Amino acid sequence: MKILSIQSAVAYGHVGNSAAVFPLQRIGVEVLPVYTVNFSNHTGYGAWRGPLISPDDVRDVITGIEERGVFGEIDVVLSGYQGGEGIADVILDAVARVKAANPAAVYSCDPVMGNAKSGCFVAPAIPVLLRDRVVPAADIITPNQFELGFLTETEPTDLASTLASADAARAMGPRTVLVTSVERPDAPEGTIEMLAVTDDGAWIVQTPRIPMKANGSGDVTAALFTAHYRASGDAADALAKTVSSVYDLLQTTFDSGQRELQLVEAQEFYAHPRLQFPVTRVR
């Protein structure tokens, strides 16, 4: 499998492509990373250095890849944090060109815009751009529960409303929706869930909540779920493997006492998921 991954990059720590590429490689995926920013570290530190990469430069890199004649071999285009507004046009153009070369290719979009605790942390125009133009072009989207609510202009607060919001998102274009950081009032205290919804049904997995903020964990989640689902076509299987790997990554990070994801230390959990959490069909 080959994935063209258009995301941010940092030198220190693991977010964007700096979080997604290694886990994908560890499960046997060939990744072609294209960077939208090249920062010293993620912006959660409040200070960082390095450039936003201009849309023209990002497009130029993608064109150079196309000139190598590999677009017909690309199975997935994956996008995450987009940085500036103009990147969306570049991504959508790349998706169209890849699909023209390989009609079986899919586009997986992680519509990064914020979370329930922090609110939106991207430029004001980005969420609207994602909702109106990018998400409708995607085959798979991987929002958290907060982002799902913005995209669909709904308020997913329990399982029924989150399923309804996922269906509203699917009506926009993407057939597969992975909802991360699902919280609902009737779930046991100290737990968090992940929900996958496709044409074939809906499945949920519950895990203990690890008490830490983990920048980049959503990028790992989107990458692993996309790759597993593309390989098997089985959303429940992809969900089980992804949740297992990400939970063990987070537990490894928490146990280390470090702020940044212990991405390399947890590598065996990507290659050999323990599948310790049951997947429950909810529809």
Side-chain angles (χ1 to χ4, degrees), residues 260-271:
E260 294 290 343
L261 291 177
Q262 300 300 288
L263 198 76
V264 175
E265 290 78 359
Q267 61 181 284
E268 287 303 313
F269 297 123
Y270 323 137

Side-chain angles (χ1 to χ4, degrees), residues 89-144:
D89 286 330
V90 177
I91 292 170
L92 292 173
D93 180 58
V95 168
R97 287 152 62 188
V98 167
K99 287 190 171 187
N102 178 14
V106 300
Y107 171 37
S108 180
C109 170
D110 185 8
V112 178
M113 60 182 79
N115 57 58
K117 291 183 179 179
S118 305
C120 282
F121 50 63
V122 296
I126 296 293
V128 176
L129 187 62
L130 286 168
R131 182 188 64 203
D132 294 349
R133 295 194 54 222
V134 180
V135 165
D139 300 289
I140 302 167
I141 60 171
T142 60
N144 60 39

Side-chain angles (χ1 to χ4, degrees), residues 11-250:
Y12 174 73
H14 301 288
V15 299
N17 267 334
S18 301
V21 171
F22 178 65
L24 287 173
Q25 291 172 329
R26 195 64 182 80
I27 64 171
V29 175
E30 182 73 31
V31 188
L32 289 71
V34 175
Y35 304 135
T36 56
V37 309
N38 189 13
F39 288 166
S40 55
N41 50 269
H42 69 70
T43 60
Y45 286 96
W48 65 93
R49 294 178 182 270
L52 285 169
I53 299 175
S54 76
D56 286 344
D57 286 339
V58 176
R59 189 190 305 273
D60 206 33
V61 171
I62 294 169
T63 298
I65 296 170
E66 183 179 29
E67 289 170 348
R68 302 286 72 76
V70 298
F71 270 17
E73 302 170 11
I74 292 174
D75 301 286
V76 178
V77 179
L78 174 65
S79 71
Y81 176 72
Q82 295 192 10
E85 297 174 34
I87 296 297
D89 286 330
V90 177
I91 292 170
L92 292 173
D93 180 58
V95 168
R97 287 152 62 188
V98 167
K99 287 190 171 187
N102 178 14
V106 300
Y107 171 37
S108 180
C109 170
D110 185 8
V112 178
M113 60 182 79
N115 57 58
K117 291 183 179 179
S118 305
C120 282
F121 50 63
V122 296
I126 296 293
V128 176
L129 187 62
L130 286 168
R131 182 188 64 203
D132 294 349
R133 295 194 54 222
V134 180
V135 165
D139 300 289
I140 302 167
I141 60 171
T142 60
N144 60 39
Q145 194 174 29
F146 169 83
E147 292 162 340
L148 177 67
F150 180 90
L151 290 171
T152 57
E153 300 179 276
T154 61
E155 294 186 10
T157 56
D158 56 15
L159 181 56
S161 60
T162 303
L163 283 167
S165 296
D167 286 339
R170 293 172 67 244
M172 297 166 64
R175 304 314 306 159
T176 299
V177 177
L178 177 72
V179 190
T180 64
S181 301
V182 174
E183 301 186 60
R184 53 192 175 105
D186 58 335
E189 186 175 354
T191 64
I192 195 162
E193 294 170 310
M194 200 178 296
L195 172 72
V197 185
T198 75
D199 290 340
D200 297 325
W203 299 265
I204 199 164
V205 176
Q206 184 178 98
T207 73
R209 180 193 297 272
I210 298 174
M212 63 175 293
K213 182 179 180 180
N215 295 89
S217 59
D219 304 318
V220 176
T221 301
L224 288 177
F225 178 81
T226 296
H228 287 311
Y229 185 49
R230 185 71 176 88
S232 70
D234 185 333
D237 175 74
L239 182 63
K241 289 176 177 175
T242 300
V243 168
S244 176
S245 297
V246 173
Y247 178 84
D248 282 332
L249 165 63
L250 293 177

